[in-house]
Amino acid sequence: HVQLVESGGGSVQPGGSLRLSCVVSGYSSHSHCMGWFRQAPGKEREGVAAIDSGGVTSYIDSVKGRFSVSKDYTKNTLYLQMNSLKPEDTAMYYCAADVDYGLGTTVWVKAVLQGFGYWGQGTQVTVS
């Protein structure tokens, strides 16, 4: 039974920082891509950051230089360090995991958004 559990969300002022965690159980993340997604009210879910099985990372333009995604294989945990938070970062944040297709994280993010892979329940981030 695969399970992803996010934590670390909360309310912060603009310019603040948060660190999200996603603990994966049920399988090893070594051969998988993992990523963080977010959905704001009235908007479509979007991929924020992803990391493939080799540790290569990618980010959407709006968070580059502010967010950092990482994995701790020993703890089977995915992290998202978010710095210099802005009100437009307010959203429900989800982590997701699926096999590494070997086609790059851009393709992987699109596939997961179409319903592939495993998802957590989300953690709310509010910046105001």
Side-chain angles (χ1 to χ4, degrees):
H1 176 63
V2 179
Q3 190 173 20
L4 285 73
V5 179
E6 303 97 334
S7 63
S11 296
V12 295
Q13 294 182 344
S17 298
L18 284 173
R19 188 194 195 202
L20 306 184
S21 300
C22 174
V23 179
V24 181
S25 59
Y27 74 89
S28 170
S29 62
H30 282 72
S31 60
H32 287 66
C33 276
M34 295 188 72
W36 288 97
F37 299 75
R38 67 186 180 187
Q39 187 166 21
K43 294 187 178 181
E44 293 187 352
R45 190 172 296 190
E46 63 178 352
V48 175
I51 182 167
D52 70 12
S53 59
V56 177
T57 60
S58 63
Y59 303 88
I60 54 172
D61 287 344
S62 61
V63 307
K64 285 181 180 177
R66 301 188 296 121
F67 290 12
S68 178
V69 62
S70 61
K71 280 194 293 187
D72 185 333
Y73 292 103
T74 64
K75 297 180 180 179
N76 231 17
T77 300
L78 178 74
Y79 299 101
L80 184 68
Q81 178 66 45
M82 305 186 294
N83 300 324
S84 302
L85 283 161
K86 303 176 180 180
E88 51 264 42
D89 294 318
T90 295
M92 184 71 79
Y93 283 71
Y94 303 88
C95 69
D98 199 10
V99 294
D100 189 339
Y101 311 136
L103 300 175
T105 53
T106 299
V107 172
W108 184 84
V109 167
K110 289 181 179 178
V112 174
L113 283 171
Q114 290 175 0
F116 292 92
Y118 301 94
W119 289 82
Q121 293 301 306
T123 185
Q124 178 68 38
V125 172
T126 302
V127 185
S128 64

